[in-house]
Amino acid sequence: MMPYNTKEKARVRNQRYYRANHERELTRSRNYYRAHPETAKAWWRKRQAWEKESAFAAYSNGPICCACCGETNLVFLSIDHIDGGGNKHRREIHANGGTKLYQWLRQKFYPPGYRVLCMNCNHATRFRQACPHTAMLQQRAKERRGLA
């Protein structure tokens, strides 16, 4: 077998192998998971965290934070569909939780129309209402300019 000098060639080779040996690889994977459940779960948690952080980094301008209030704790952050329709979109791509949405975004090269919001801001904008943080920030800006 020839050595592959680029990642792309190796990726194509691995895809061909996996397609040709799909059932065998599924069986091997299941057997490993059954024999090493803690290792497999730890790997999956690490992968989920990577997917989440990658999506947040792609949709944050600079440091990962809420686009509205600046919250930085990853536990509180989520992806928001800017134009709404998040439930419908998640049903279309069969994403019950965040990881499948993060994977879909990565596979589509992080398309526009999404942003990072904390759960408070996300829920506040759920019914096309302005987030309370926006009004609060505007009020503070007026106070600084001496307009309020």
Side-chain angles (χ1 to χ4, degrees):
M1 190 175 267
M2 288 183 57
Y4 287 90
N5 56 4
T6 67
K7 288 183 179 181
E8 179 61 23
K9 287 182 181 179
R11 188 183 65 78
V12 170
R13 181 190 138 262
N14 289 341
Q15 283 179 340
R16 280 191 201 133
Y17 175 83
Y18 186 78
R19 285 186 195 123
N21 300 286
H22 183 69
E23 289 301 319
R24 186 169 126 195
E25 287 299 306
L26 280 178
T27 302
R28 184 183 67 78
S29 179
R30 282 188 203 113
N31 290 341
Y32 181 85
Y33 184 82
R34 288 181 188 132
H36 308 92
E38 292 307 313
T39 304
K41 286 177 187 174
W43 177 87
W44 186 246
R45 281 190 294 271
K46 186 177 175 182
R47 176 66 188 218
Q48 287 175 318
W50 178 82
E51 291 282 3
K52 183 177 187 175
E53 287 184 36
S54 297
F56 289 168
Y59 288 107
S60 293
N61 296 327
I64 297 173
C65 65
C66 175
C68 181
C69 69
E71 175 65 55
T72 58
N73 190 331
L74 289 178
V75 174
F76 299 131
L77 298 178
S78 64
I79 295 290
D80 175 52
H81 292 72
I82 293 174
D83 295 325
N87 275 335
K88 181 182 175 192
H89 180 240
R90 281 189 299 277
R91 280 193 299 270
E92 288 171 359
I93 65 171
H94 306 289
N96 317 5
T99 303
K100 285 206 176 187
L101 175 62
Y102 306 141
Q103 288 173 342
W104 183 89
L105 290 168
R106 180 179 45 81
Q107 290 166 354
K108 301 297 180 190
F109 303 103
Y110 302 108
Y114 303 89
R115 63 184 169 182
V116 177
L117 289 181
C118 70
M119 293 306 289
N120 285 335
C121 295
N122 200 341
H123 283 282
T125 61
R126 182 180 239 169
F127 301 106
R128 302 223 184 258
Q129 296 175 355
C131 177
H133 291 118
T134 305
M136 190 170 58
L137 292 172
Q138 288 172 349
Q139 181 64 29
R140 285 183 189 162
K142 283 181 184 179
E143 288 172 0
R144 283 191 204 121
R145 289 181 292 194
L147 300 174

